[in-house]
């Protein structure tokens, strides 16, 4: 079951743009990519890095946590968005060195390369792992820094 939350004002500076839960199935990774593309388009931000990082974190939730996962996009007024991917595992990702022949093991390297900043956390109430990142590429079509919160009205229509 998908749950959708939109446009919840948390304070004068922080806005929850969108949050959606996905089943822990391989098909959900594609749905998460479509979700993040839609959100980025709705707030006027072109973030290919966001799509790739959400895809990576969603794949990890399905493959390693074996659980449903939630993707949340949050924006501060005048700042680039940050994205959280939460699954039901308490295990934080571990850095490993992947060889050129490995099919996996590059998730943290992708976070390093494609995000301005990132961290992991465990929600104390639920025990769920959260990967939080601010993707690079936060400029709008005019080349100026995007204000993702300004696009909230565009999502409402």
């Amino acid at each position: 079951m998908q749950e959708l939350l939109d446009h919840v004002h948390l304070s004068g500076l922080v806005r929850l743009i969108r949050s959606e839960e996905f089943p822990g199935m391989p098909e959900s990774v594609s749905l998460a990519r479509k979700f993040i593309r839609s959100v980025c388009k709705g707030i006027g931000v072109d973030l290919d890095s966001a799509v790739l990082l959400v895809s990576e974190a969603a794949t990890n939730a399905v493959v390693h946590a074996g659980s449903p996962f939630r993707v949340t996009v949050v924006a501060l007024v005048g700042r680039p968005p940050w994205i959280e991917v939460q699954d039901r595992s308490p295990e934080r990702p571990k850095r490993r060195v992947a060889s050129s022949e490995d099919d996996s093991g590059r998730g943290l390297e992708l976070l390093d390369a494609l995000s301005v900043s990132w961290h992991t956390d465990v929600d104390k109430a639920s025990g769920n792992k959260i990967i939080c990142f601010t993707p690079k590429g936060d400029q709008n079509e005019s080349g100026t820094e995007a204000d993702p919160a300004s696009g909230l009205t565009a999502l409402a229509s």
Side-chain angles (χ1 to χ4, degrees):
M1 179 176 156
Q2 293 182 344
E3 181 181 328
L4 182 65
L5 302 172
D6 269 336
H7 321 299
V8 179
H9 294 275
L10 302 175
S11 76
L13 297 176
V14 180
R15 292 183 172 89
L16 172 67
I17 297 173
R18 275 185 89 180
S19 183
E20 191 163 340
E21 186 162 322
F22 299 89
M25 302 181 313
E27 311 80 62
S28 296
V29 176
S30 174
L31 296 173
R33 282 193 300 266
K34 288 177 185 174
F35 168 76
I36 199 68
R37 275 190 201 103
S38 172
V39 172
C40 288
K41 183 177 179 182
I43 60 176
V45 179
D46 179 21
L47 291 176
D48 289 337
S49 57
V51 174
L52 181 59
L53 292 173
V54 165
S55 182
E56 175 68 23
T59 298
N60 287 344
V62 171
V63 172
H64 299 294
S67 75
F69 59 94
R70 175 174 291 283
V71 178
T72 303
V73 182
V74 180
L76 296 174
V77 175
R79 302 289 229 159
W82 76 81
I83 299 169
E84 296 177 353
V85 179
Q86 180 176 8
D87 64 40
R88 295 188 182 161
S89 170
E91 298 296 319
R92 294 180 193 224
K94 294 176 180 73
R95 190 172 297 273
R96 58 176 261 209
V97 178
S99 75
S100 60
E101 296 176 10
D102 288 336
D103 290 334
S104 63
R106 294 176 186 82
L108 299 182
E109 288 178 31
L110 284 172
L111 281 165
D112 288 340
L114 299 177
S115 65
V116 175
S117 64
W118 68 273
H119 69 276
T120 62
D121 204 356
V122 175
D123 181 288
K124 291 182 181 174
S126 66
N128 295 345
K129 171 183 65 226
I130 304 167
I131 297 174
C132 180
F133 57 90
T134 301
K136 289 181 181 177
D138 59 339
Q139 294 187 335
N140 61 25
E141 292 176 4
S142 68
T144 59
E145 184 175 318
D147 179 357
S150 69
L152 288 171
T153 54
L155 287 175
S157 49

